[in-house]
Amino acid sequence: MDITTFVHGNRNRAFLIGDYNSYHSQLTRQVLALRKKLGRTTPKNAKYTEKAPVTAQDIASRHEFAHLILLQAERAWSQAMHIKSSHAEDNADQRITGSTRQHIISRLHKAIGHAQKLVELLQDRQTTKATENDYLEARAYAQCLAGAEEFEKQSSQRKEDPAVAWRKCVVHFSEAHVIYSALLYATQKDQFKEVIGGTVDPSIRYAAYQSRLPRTTAVATTAKEHFPREESELVSMVEKLNPTAFNDEAATAARTQDGTNSTVSIPTTISWRGRNAPIADAAIGQAMAATTIATTQLSDFIAKSKDISAQALAAQFDPVLTSAQDTVDAVRRSISDLTKEGVTESDARMQDLRVSDLAANYALISWRIGRNRVLISSPGTQDDGLELGQEQRRPVKKAKKGPSDQAVEPESKARRIIRLTERVVLYDATLQSIDSVKDLRGAARDSDFMAELDGQRAYFQALKCINIGYSHAALSAHKEALVLFARAQTFAQTVSESLSGSTVAKSEEKPSSLEVTTDQVSRLSEHLELLILRQRGLVALKQHMNDEKSTGVKPLPISERLHEYPASGQVDLDNIVTWPPKMQPVPVKPIFLDLAWNYIEYPGRSQADDEEINGQGEGMEGIVSGVVETAKQATEAIKEAVVPAAEETGTPKKRGWFGFGR
């Protein structure tokens, strides 16, 4: 039936756009529509007849009958809350008394009547076909309404003893707390957690304060002490959902990811750099125990999951961060309570809370930085972004062959710069978090602690400079990258000096936090030396290329330097050939040697051979004149052969243009 989801889902949707009055109007329309749907309305122009009450058989046939009862209870509750809120707006400085108070209590009493009726119907689970969870949700809802009624009764300044009068309110809300906690443990639904943290726990805390109960007692312990243990059936239902629901020992339990239970003792003291401070509020210890359980689960997850993306691993930090934030909130709430009571800073209780506040905030910020370091690190490593690495890309299937042929898509320059920009943003967030630790109250008094924070800050500043240098190197700005790497080296020297006495050992299965180990510092220094040497070589090579271009002497065209490879790796397309062409010596070809044969004396050539050649002609002139004479004789022979042939055929001789006579 999902009673809790149905009730609180309606409330949340209504409060997004309106107040208690609009919620009351909305419920009235819903009740009328549901009655028409179930056939429980009087027809038009018919005499009114009272309808029979809802029975267990009706709920078994249709669950809307249970929803009808819940809507009626919610309508009465919303009317009471509307009256209360209206008085608070008009007369904020006055208490609600007289008929207004009685009207509120009357509406709450009517809501309790509807809720108790549903509990009685669902108790017959065989007829209604309801589950134990449905019955427990209905009972917890009824107890919340009963606790709200007692809350309003005791706020009317009755003459009863407050320690006795407020005890009824504690009992009702305690039963609701235990039931909702067991349902949360079994189902892991956030809806139950919102109800506990938003309504039940604050009411128990205030009612316990009015009942003169000790503040050091946790809310969960108070709820267990005031739960009605005499109802054996109810106790057995709760224990089925959570076997440790009524454990009296000072422990907190949680369910791990593999389904097993994890129990950790609630601490009574908190340690911070050699000082132990007692925990003044049990809520602080309970939140610290929950943080310990979440940390253990995170360590187990890291040990079991080797090949996992950085985003999936960072998501596992959320339970730890939530528990750590709960610890910080509990400490601040305790400090606020003592401040309202007029307790000075010199009081021992306030000093202990200040120590707890510093330790809790440092732990929270440390876990935040640890999650950032996971997102920054290269896939499969914990190098904090020291190396550029390659982004995990999905393999691209080739279209030519089968699906088995896959190629990894290379990372583009633009994508690499975007990835480096995301790293720099995370580094900035980390540096801001470290600065916020320095601003905590009491942190500046510890000089060793401040020096350690300065070293950790310098470590992340060096990594930030390295990644910015990677982006400049990707854009071929080698000189700027060299300057950034040199700047990072100065930060690395500061880290070595600040953390010289640190001997913390980093484990691959331990979650990342703010701690910086000596191995990480040494790896940073060695990697920076290699980067600086490489970048100096690139800068020198680029400077050499620029010097060659700045000499002003134009090199030979590429057509005359085909045997040379360009030093820059790029071909100058503006200097392929010499244009316009100029007079220049060219290589001697064999044909020129043949024409100049008679004018060149060759070794081994005799004089008789020269005379024989001269007899045939006067060298080159004889050859040329002979060729010309032969051509003339051939031309005359052709004319003599063509003209007689034309006369024999009788072809008339053409005169003038186009054969026309003049």
Side-chain angles (χ1 to χ4, degrees), residues 460-474:
F460 290 106
Q461 281 182 312
L463 293 173
K464 178 183 175 181
C465 292
I466 290 175
N467 282 268
I468 297 176
Y470 284 149
S471 63
H472 282 281

Side-chain angles (χ1 to χ4, degrees), residues 53-305:
V54 178
T55 62
Q57 290 77 9
D58 295 335
I59 296 177
S61 61
R62 300 184 68 174
H63 287 169
E64 284 83 355
F65 284 99
H67 293 169
L68 178 61
I69 299 175
L70 290 172
L71 291 175
Q72 291 173 343
E74 278 292 288
R75 183 171 61 174
W77 174 83
S78 63
Q79 187 177 5
M81 294 297 104
H82 170 61
I83 297 171
K84 185 177 180 179
S85 61
S86 299
H87 184 275
E89 294 176 0
D90 298 337
N91 305 303
D93 56 341
Q94 298 180 7
R95 299 176 62 88
I96 303 176
T97 58
S99 59
T100 305
R101 175 73 66 181
Q102 292 299 325
H103 194 187
I104 294 174
I105 295 174
S106 174
R107 293 295 89 193
L108 290 175
H109 186 74
K110 184 176 181 179
I112 294 170
H114 289 296
Q116 289 292 347
K117 181 180 179 181
L118 181 61
V119 173
E120 293 173 0
L121 291 174
L122 294 181
Q123 195 169 7
D124 187 5
R125 292 190 296 277
Q126 293 182 353
T127 305
T128 58
K129 299 179 182 179
T131 62
E132 293 184 355
N133 288 3
D134 295 334
Y135 172 75
L136 290 175
E137 288 185 39
R139 178 149 185 168
Y141 174 66
Q143 293 300 321
C144 286
L145 294 177
E149 182 187 14
E150 292 296 333
F151 194 96
E152 296 299 330
K153 286 181 179 179
Q154 306 313 322
S155 298
S156 59
Q157 291 184 343
R158 295 192 175 187
K159 296 182 180 180
E160 303 180 39
D161 183 12
V164 178
W166 283 94
R167 193 64 57 89
K168 297 179 182 179
C169 182
V170 174
V171 170
H172 289 304
F173 280 113
S174 296
E175 183 176 344
H177 176 91
V178 173
I179 293 175
Y180 280 132
S181 298
L183 290 170
L184 174 63
Y185 180 85
T187 61
Q188 298 295 321
K189 289 184 178 180
D190 294 337
Q191 193 73 49
F192 299 114
K193 187 175 182 179
E194 293 176 2
V195 175
I196 294 172
T199 305
V200 179
D201 281 1
S203 302
I204 293 176
R205 191 176 293 108
Y206 183 80
Y209 172 76
Q210 295 291 344
S211 300
R212 307 293 192 272
L213 295 177
R215 186 179 298 176
T216 56
T217 305
V219 174
T221 304
T222 303
K224 293 174 185 178
E225 291 176 353
H226 293 83
F227 188 84
R229 301 288 185 93
E230 61 276 3
E231 299 185 24
S232 58
E233 184 179 1
L234 179 61
V235 172
S236 62
M237 290 182 185
V238 174
E239 288 181 342
K240 284 183 181 179
L241 298 176
N242 184 7
T244 62
F246 299 104
N247 286 353
D248 295 332
E249 58 183 359
T252 182
R255 176 166 291 184
T256 58
Q257 295 177 353
D258 55 358
T260 59
N261 298 333
S262 178
T263 304
V264 176
S265 299
I266 297 178
T268 57
T269 59
I270 186 171
S271 300
W272 172 250
R273 301 185 67 85
R275 177 176 177 179
N276 295 327
I279 297 177
D281 194 347
I284 302 174
Q286 196 170 12
M288 291 177 60
T291 306
T292 304
I293 293 175
T295 305
T296 304
Q297 295 177 3
L298 178 60
S299 301
D300 295 341
F301 179 83
I302 295 175
K304 294 178 182 178
S305 303

Side-chain angles (χ1 to χ4, degrees), residues 288-565:
M288 291 177 60
T291 306
T292 304
I293 293 175
T295 305
T296 304
Q297 295 177 3
L298 178 60
S299 301
D300 295 341
F301 179 83
I302 295 175
K304 294 178 182 178
S305 303
K306 298 298 182 182
D307 298 332
I308 187 173
S309 63
Q311 289 75 13
L313 182 57
Q316 300 300 320
F317 279 76
D318 292 342
V320 182
L321 291 173
T322 302
S323 302
Q325 184 65 54
D326 293 341
T327 306
V328 173
D329 294 340
V331 174
R332 290 178 179 175
R333 189 164 48 247
S334 299
I335 294 175
S336 178
D337 293 341
L338 290 181
T339 304
K340 292 178 181 178
E341 294 177 5
V343 179
T344 60
E345 292 292 337
S346 60
D347 191 272
R349 293 176 297 171
M350 185 64 76
Q351 292 182 0
D352 293 337
L353 283 176
R354 291 299 181 188
V355 174
S356 302
D357 182 53
L358 183 58
N361 278 281
Y362 179 79
L364 175 61
I365 294 173
S366 179
W367 287 119
R368 286 178 182 172
I369 294 175
R371 183 177 61 178
N372 292 344
R373 295 174 74 174
V374 169
L375 293 172
I376 291 172
S377 300
S378 302
T381 63
Q382 294 183 0
D383 59 352
D384 299 330
L386 181 62
E387 298 180 359
L388 182 58
Q390 291 291 334
E391 185 182 20
Q392 289 182 343
R393 310 276 293 186
R394 292 183 178 179
V396 180
K397 295 182 180 180
K398 293 183 179 179
K400 296 181 180 179
K401 299 182 180 180
S404 59
D405 297 333
Q406 295 181 350
V408 178
E409 182 182 357
E411 185 180 17
S412 62
K413 183 185 297 185
R415 179 57 196 165
R416 184 181 304 172
I417 294 176
I418 291 173
R419 184 159 58 90
L420 291 171
T421 304
E422 294 173 352
R423 284 187 179 183
V424 172
V425 171
L426 292 173
Y427 285 129
D428 289 335
T430 301
L431 295 174
Q432 291 177 3
S433 299
I434 295 176
D435 293 338
S436 64
V437 175
K438 294 181 179 180
D439 296 336
L440 293 176
R441 191 165 187 170
R445 300 176 183 176
D446 192 344
S447 58
D448 295 337
F449 179 58
M450 295 299 291
E452 183 178 345
L453 288 177
D454 290 336
Q456 294 168 348
R457 193 179 194 282
Y459 174 76
F460 290 106
Q461 281 182 312
L463 293 173
K464 178 183 175 181
C465 292
I466 290 175
N467 282 268
I468 297 176
Y470 284 149
S471 63
H472 282 281
L475 298 174
S476 300
H478 302 294
K479 186 178 295 184
E480 291 80 357
L482 178 60
V483 173
L484 287 166
F485 292 153
R487 178 65 172 169
Q489 193 174 32
T490 59
F491 285 126
Q493 294 175 356
T494 304
V495 177
S496 302
E497 296 173 358
S498 301
L499 303 178
S500 58
S502 177
T503 58
V504 180
K506 178 68 175 178
S507 175
E508 295 295 333
E509 299 180 358
K510 183 179 178 182
S512 300
S513 59
L514 184 54
E515 296 178 352
V516 179
T517 64
T518 54
D519 295 337
Q520 292 173 337
V521 175
S522 60
R523 195 184 310 121
L524 173 65
S525 302
E526 295 173 359
H527 189 69
L528 273 173
E529 291 179 1
L530 296 177
L531 285 177
I532 290 175
L533 290 175
R534 179 178 179 274
Q535 211 63 29
R536 281 178 178 171
L538 293 174
V539 171
L541 182 60
K542 187 174 182 179
Q543 187 67 30
H544 177 67
M545 293 166 51
N546 294 334
D547 292 342
E548 289 183 352
K549 293 181 180 179
S550 62
T551 54
V553 179
K554 188 175 182 179
L556 294 176
I558 296 174
S559 59
E560 300 181 13
R561 294 185 293 112
L562 297 178
H563 61 284
E564 296 180 3
Y565 185 81

